[in-house]
Amino acid sequence: MAVYDLEEQEQISELKAWWAQYGNLVVGLALAAAVAAVGWQGWQWYQNRNAAEAGVLYYAVQQAAEQQDAQKAREAAGRLIGEHGGSVSAQLGALLSAAIQFEAGDFVNARAPLEWAADKGKDPALRDLARLRLAAVMLQQGELDAALARLQAAPSAAYKARFDDLRGDILAAQGKAAEARVAYQAAIDALAGDGEEAATLREVVRVKLESLGV
């Protein structure tokens, strides 16, 4: 038994020496791990809360759109952009609010959220859609050069035909028939699919192209 007691004393002494050397480090690492875990949980909670709040505001924009209430849609979208500008919900809210303003003939208030969505939105595809709609608003406002500038950067493939179509509209409005024909033909070529929507848009663009003459 004395042998075992001696061995235990030696182990305890070694443990004490090791702890004296590394104890602070171990405690520090444990605390860091605990803080990191709490911080991660806190960040997750914050993200989830933000997503929920953004969802509520986007739903408010949707409700206003269904009621054709342009002012409420504008106010809800403004809050959504101001408080949750980094979310996809903010881009969607901006696009939806702009559509309501456009339908109401309020091009100024349609333009503002589209400019934000086109320049500062996080999702690239939604930025392209915002650029397309912004150029359409500028066309209505008679700002033809600015509208063309918004269409200059190549969009994703999904929007190429619509960009070319709108570019043709702007060029036709500028009296540049030859360039408009090129843009319309590019739109038709990009609409080579067999889907019903593609076929409908292709016919619309073909009518525009034919209206320009030879």
Side-chain angles (χ1 to χ4, degrees), residues 101-163:
Q101 314 308 316
F102 187 88
E103 291 174 6
D106 186 349
F107 299 135
V108 172
N109 282 315
R111 182 169 173 167
L114 289 174
E115 287 177 335
W116 175 85
D119 296 335
K120 299 181 180 179
K122 301 298 183 182
D123 185 89
L126 293 179
R127 284 201 305 269
D128 284 343
L129 180 56
R131 282 199 295 131
L132 180 66
R133 294 184 179 179
L134 178 56
V137 171
M138 290 175 167
L139 172 59
Q140 292 295 322
Q141 292 179 310
E143 298 184 24
L144 306 183
D145 290 337
L148 279 178
R150 281 290 180 175
L151 299 177
Q152 186 173 5
S156 61
Y159 291 111
K160 184 182 184 306
R162 293 187 179 277
F163 267 61

Side-chain angles (χ1 to χ4, degrees), residues 12 40 70 168 204:
I12 291 172
W40 173 252
V204 170

Side-chain angles (χ1 to χ4, degrees), residues 30-207:
L31 286 174
V35 169
V38 171
W40 173 252
Q41 291 174 355
W43 174 249
Q44 290 291 96
W45 173 84
Y46 177 75
Q47 290 286 83
N48 291 337
R49 188 194 68 174
N50 276 356
E53 290 177 353
V56 169
L57 287 171
Y58 179 66
Y59 180 70
V61 179
Q62 287 182 308
Q63 290 292 97
E66 291 177 4
Q67 297 165 7
Q68 294 296 306
D69 191 326
Q71 182 176 348
K72 284 185 178 179
R74 186 166 63 248
E75 291 172 352
R79 281 192 60 195
L80 184 53
I81 292 169
E83 298 173 15
H84 305 282
S87 67
V88 173
S89 295
Q91 282 180 275
L92 293 172
L95 289 165
L96 182 54
S97 176
I100 300 303
Q101 314 308 316
F102 187 88
E103 291 174 6
D106 186 349
F107 299 135
V108 172
N109 282 315
R111 182 169 173 167
L114 289 174
E115 287 177 335
W116 175 85
D119 296 335
K120 299 181 180 179
K122 301 298 183 182
D123 185 89
L126 293 179
R127 284 201 305 269
D128 284 343
L129 180 56
R131 282 199 295 131
L132 180 66
R133 294 184 179 179
L134 178 56
V137 171
M138 290 175 167
L139 172 59
Q140 292 295 322
Q141 292 179 310
E143 298 184 24
L144 306 183
D145 290 337
L148 279 178
R150 281 290 180 175
L151 299 177
Q152 186 173 5
S156 61
Y159 291 111
K160 184 182 184 306
R162 293 187 179 277
F163 267 61
D164 288 330
D165 176 34
L166 183 55
R167 187 178 291 108
D169 292 346
I170 298 168
L171 290 167
Q174 289 180 322
K176 300 176 181 178
E179 294 178 52
R181 280 196 292 271
V182 172
Y184 285 143
Q185 187 59 56
I188 292 172
D189 293 342
L191 291 165
D194 297 327
E196 182 178 350
E197 183 179 357
T200 301
L201 182 56
R202 188 164 56 240
E203 287 305 309
V204 170
V205 179
R206 182 173 286 113
V207 170

